[in-house]
């Protein structure tokens, strides 16, 4: 849901609130996607030092900070930085998420767990896309990003719990 807030509404927000040209919005998103590649490449090294749950916790917390910058940042540079952070950290978060779901499931259940996880992510994304439109209409775009940041913080909390449980299970 947190990524849905950014991917569904950040470009529109930059356009409507700051009158950023489409080419500049595309450049900002492209920088974020490039940062995602760098984060994904760094993820393996980080994953050797930290559990998948802890990498998810860190990634979720930084995604929440990025969404807060978009929604609460009083300036265009902060909003753009927030977009880059969210897009960039998804490259770190997603592989850790996939590793964690495989670590918690026995081999015979991994296909089912993967399918349930993909469905849950899609439902979260869709719910944020739909409700975000209603939130933007009623309370403005910043409220969408604050909602997304709240969801990302909840994800960070759940990742911390997952990390502790996985550590105890070992």
């Amino acid at each position: 849901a947190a990524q849905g807030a950014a991917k569904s509404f950040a470009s529109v927000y930059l356009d409507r609130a700051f009158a950023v040209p489409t080419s500049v919005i595309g450049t900002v998103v492209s920088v974020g996607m490039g940062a995602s590649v760098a984060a994904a490449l760094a993820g393996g090294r980080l994953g050797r030092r930290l559990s998948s749950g802890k990498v998810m916790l860190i990634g979720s917390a930084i995604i929440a900070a990025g969404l807060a910058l978009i929604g609460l940042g009083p300036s265009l540079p902060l909003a753009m930085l927030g977009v880059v952070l969210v897009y960039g950290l998804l490259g770190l978060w997603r592989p850790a998420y996939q590793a964690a779901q495989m670590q918690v499931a026995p081999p015979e259940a991994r296909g089912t767990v993967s399918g349930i996880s993909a469905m849950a992510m899609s439902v979260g994304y869709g719910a944020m896309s739909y409700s975000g439109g209603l939130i933007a209409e009623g309370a403005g775009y910043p409220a969408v990003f604050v909602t997304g940041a709240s969801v990302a913080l909840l994800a960070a909390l759940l990742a911390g719990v997952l990390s502790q449980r996985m550590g105890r299970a070992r």
Side-chain angles (χ1 to χ4, degrees), residues 2-15 17-18 28-29 62-88 140-149:
Q3 68 175 311
K7 289 189 172 186
S8 297
F9 298 102
S11 296
V12 177
Y13 176 63
L14 292 174
D15 176 47
F18 296 105
V28 170
V29 169
I62 296 172
I63 289 168
L67 287 164
L69 281 175
I70 299 168
L72 300 175
S75 68
L76 176 59
L78 288 178
M80 289 177 161
L81 175 61
V83 171
V84 171
L85 281 174
V86 172
Y87 275 81
Y141 287 103
V144 174
F145 303 115
V146 170
T147 302

Side-chain angles (χ1 to χ4, degrees), residues 78-161:
L78 288 178
M80 289 177 161
L81 175 61
V83 171
V84 171
L85 281 174
V86 172
Y87 275 81
L89 265 291
L90 287 172
L92 181 69
W93 187 88
R94 264 194 218 104
Y97 174 73
Q98 290 169 332
Q101 72 186 11
M102 294 300 109
Q103 289 168 352
V104 299
E108 64 276 4
R110 288 182 179 159
T112 302
V113 169
S114 181
I116 291 169
S117 296
M119 183 183 70
M121 284 187 67
S122 296
V123 167
Y125 193 104
M128 179 54 83
S129 296
Y130 177 76
S131 64
L134 298 173
I135 293 168
E137 188 177 307
Y141 287 103
V144 174
F145 303 115
V146 170
T147 302
S150 300
V151 171
L153 287 175
L154 177 61
L157 176 68
L158 292 174
V161 169

Side-chain angles (χ1 to χ4, degrees), residues 42-56 58 92 103 163 170:
R45 181 169 280 207
L46 188 59
R48 284 191 289 275
R49 295 181 187 172
L50 301 172
S51 69
S52 297
K54 286 183 182 172
V55 174
M56 289 170 53
I58 292 165
L92 181 69
Q103 289 168 352
S163 181
R170 289 184 186 161

